[in-house]
Amino acid sequence: MPLTSLTPPVSGAAVLAMALTALVMVLTPGPNMIYLVSRSIGQGRGAGLISLAGTGAGFVIYMLMASLGLAVVFVAVPWLFIGFKAVGVLYLAHLAWQALRPGGRGVFEVRDIARDSPARLFRMGLLTNLLNPKAAIMYLSLIPQFIEPSRGNPAVQGLALGAVQITVSLIVNALIVLAAGTIAVFLAQRPSWAAVQRRVTGTLLGAAALLLAREVPARARV
């Protein structure tokens, strides 16, 4: 068996970088987290987990669309590949500012919402993710940062990296769903802790943006 057939589609460094980026992104308050936390606090952990299944399905749809639809385009149109990478960096910088700016609202400061059926919870989780700009940017602009065309098929790499992102996102969000009620009470009693969380998240996002900005000029090659 040729040695090249044993080569994994993505490098260990790319997997680690993707996992760390996905971790920072999933810990950044956004539509998905707000919806999941709201359901968990207002309707219980079971409702939060059903909603999470819907968001997971949304990630799979994005992963398939991005990996299968953009793989060839990145090589055929190099400037588009570079442009997507630049947008990803700008979006990370935007998230960093949103986390660090004064007057930000914590994700666990949620309002009471009506109770919904399991089918509606799943459907709303799916729609929340499909309409979530953070999810779109993740697959269209951030994952391409870690694709190495010299290693082989970009589509296979995109699927592998997407699987890493989905795994990290589901695990972290499941833990957040299970702990949402306790965290909400804790932060309500300690406002300074919420501010510390936002500062740490913003700093990590800013550092990631700076590191990825160094890679923007690199173009796709076969």
Side-chain angles (χ1 to χ4, degrees):
M1 180 179 297
L3 182 60
T4 54
S5 65
L6 300 176
T7 302
V10 291
S11 65
V15 170
L16 178 59
M18 183 71 255
L20 291 175
T21 300
L23 180 61
V24 174
M25 291 290 286
V26 75
L27 291 176
T28 302
N32 285 351
M33 183 183 289
I34 292 172
Y35 178 73
L36 294 173
V37 169
S38 298
R39 287 301 172 188
S40 301
I41 294 176
Q43 199 170 334
R45 293 172 176 172
L49 292 175
I50 294 173
S51 300
L52 176 59
T55 64
F59 278 131
V60 171
I61 292 174
Y62 265 123
M63 178 180 67
L64 294 176
M65 291 175 58
S67 297
L68 301 180
L70 294 178
V72 177
V73 177
F74 284 151
V75 177
V77 189
W79 64 263
L80 186 61
F81 181 75
I82 295 172
F84 272 125
K85 296 175 72 174
V87 170
V89 170
L90 292 175
Y91 187 68
L92 282 178
H94 170 72
L95 290 179
W97 165 245
Q98 291 298 314
L100 293 172
R101 68 182 178 86
R105 184 182 180 186
V107 68
F108 292 95
E109 300 173 31
V110 297
R111 298 173 293 179
D112 293 333
I113 54 179
R115 300 178 69 86
D116 287 318
S117 67
R120 179 172 173 80
L121 289 170
F122 181 90
R123 187 165 59 250
M124 289 303 296
L126 172 62
L127 291 176
T128 298
N129 202 15
L130 290 179
L131 299 176
N132 179 9
K134 188 164 71 170
I137 292 296
M138 169 66 74
Y139 280 95
L140 299 181
S141 299
L142 293 183
I143 286 182
Q145 308 276 354
F146 309 107
I147 290 178
E148 304 171 74
S150 61
R151 293 186 67 88
N153 192 329
V156 174
Q157 293 186 60
L159 292 172
L161 293 170
V164 172
Q165 182 273 325
I166 291 174
T167 300
V168 171
S169 179
L170 291 181
I171 291 174
V172 174
N173 275 318
L175 293 175
I176 290 174
V177 164
L178 296 176
T182 302
I183 295 174
V185 173
F186 179 85
L187 293 180
Q189 298 172 346
R190 301 168 178 81
S192 61
W193 283 71
V196 170
Q197 181 269 331
R198 289 196 298 272
R199 292 192 187 100
V200 171
T201 300
T203 300
L204 290 175
L205 284 168
L210 290 175
L211 289 174
L212 292 178
R214 299 172 55 188
E215 303 298 326
V216 168
R219 53 188 289 171
R221 294 183 298 273
V222 293

